[in-house]
Amino acid sequence: KIDQSEFRQNYTYGAGPAFYINQPLALDLQISNSTFEENIGSKTGASVGYVDCLTSKVCNGIVSHSLFEGNYARGGEYGTALMWSAGALTLSQSTFRNNRSYGRKGGKAVLAGLNRYPNEDGTLPIFALAVENSTFDSNEGNADGIVLANVYTGDSVLLQSNTLLNNNPPLVPASDTSANLGGDQGR
């Protein structure tokens, strides 16, 4: 649980200077009332946090009442403020403002549904993304879409009551992405 915390001006050569989770553990991460400001992720992007639960089938996260502002994903394969692999991710009443994302692909603010490992029967685990009552303002970069989700049959995506303002258009072709949510200019 991350609550009432501030992560400011942190840097990592890899991804996720605020938090980086990359192990096959069941995860229930709750982030609330926190500020992530002016952090830099370099090699693989993710200027704030990177979560990859690998083969774990329980990987859930809730981000609420938090601010992601002025973070910079410098490049690499993906670029975005927050990357989430599988399971379920809910963003609620949070603000993503003035984030810059210069990876080859990934959402300007959020990349979700990435790196899912097959179930024993070969099917992919179901992914659920909900983005509600959140603001995406003046985010920019090469990534296509403000929120980019890799979705497959059976996945669930809910975008509801969000405000999207002044987000720069993508600089890479839409064909480089699996699914684009949020529109090319936040419309």
Side-chain angles (χ1 to χ4, degrees), residues 77-85 89 91 101 104-114 116 127 129 131 136 142-151 157 159 164 170 172-183:
E77 182 67 23
Y78 302 101
T80 193
L82 179 63
M83 291 175 64
W84 193 270
S85 68
L89 175 62
L91 302 175
S101 177
R104 288 188 290 271
K105 52 187 169 181
K108 287 179 177 68
V110 178
L111 173 59
L114 181 71
R116 286 188 259 178
F127 176 71
L129 173 66
V131 183
F136 297 86
N142 290 342
D144 192 27
I146 299 155
V147 174
L148 181 91
N150 292 320
V151 293
V157 176
L159 302 173
L164 297 103
V172 296
S175 62
D176 289 350
T177 62
S178 299
N180 176 14
L181 305 176

Side-chain angles (χ1 to χ4, degrees), residues 11 19 26 28 42 53 72 102 107 131 133 139 149 164 167:
Y11 172 83
F19 56 91
D28 185 10
S42 188
C53 293
Y72 181 31
Y102 291 102
V131 183
N133 303 306
N139 298 288
L164 297 103
N167 296 286

Side-chain angles (χ1 to χ4, degrees), residues 34-128:
S34 295
T35 299
F36 302 89
E37 189 172 39
E38 298 178 5
N39 297 289
I40 298 173
S42 188
K43 185 178 176 186
T44 44
S47 59
V48 173
Y50 178 93
V51 176
D52 187 348
C53 293
L54 300 174
T55 56
S56 174
K57 304 305 180 212
V58 180
C59 192
N60 302 310
I62 297 173
V63 178
S64 65
H65 301 91
S66 293
L67 172 66
F68 295 77
E69 184 167 20
N71 300 293
Y72 181 31
R74 291 179 54 179
E77 182 67 23
Y78 302 101
T80 193
L82 179 63
M83 291 175 64
W84 193 270
S85 68
L89 175 62
T90 299
L91 302 175
S92 174
Q93 299 177 1
S94 292
T95 299
F96 290 80
R97 183 183 307 124
N98 295 319
N99 296 292
R100 294 176 295 155
S101 177
Y102 291 102
R104 288 188 290 271
K105 52 187 169 181
K108 287 179 177 68
V110 178
L111 173 59
L114 181 71
N115 296 343
R116 286 188 259 178
Y117 297 87
N119 295 317
E120 290 178 12
D121 64 1
T123 62
L124 287 177
I126 299 299
F127 176 71

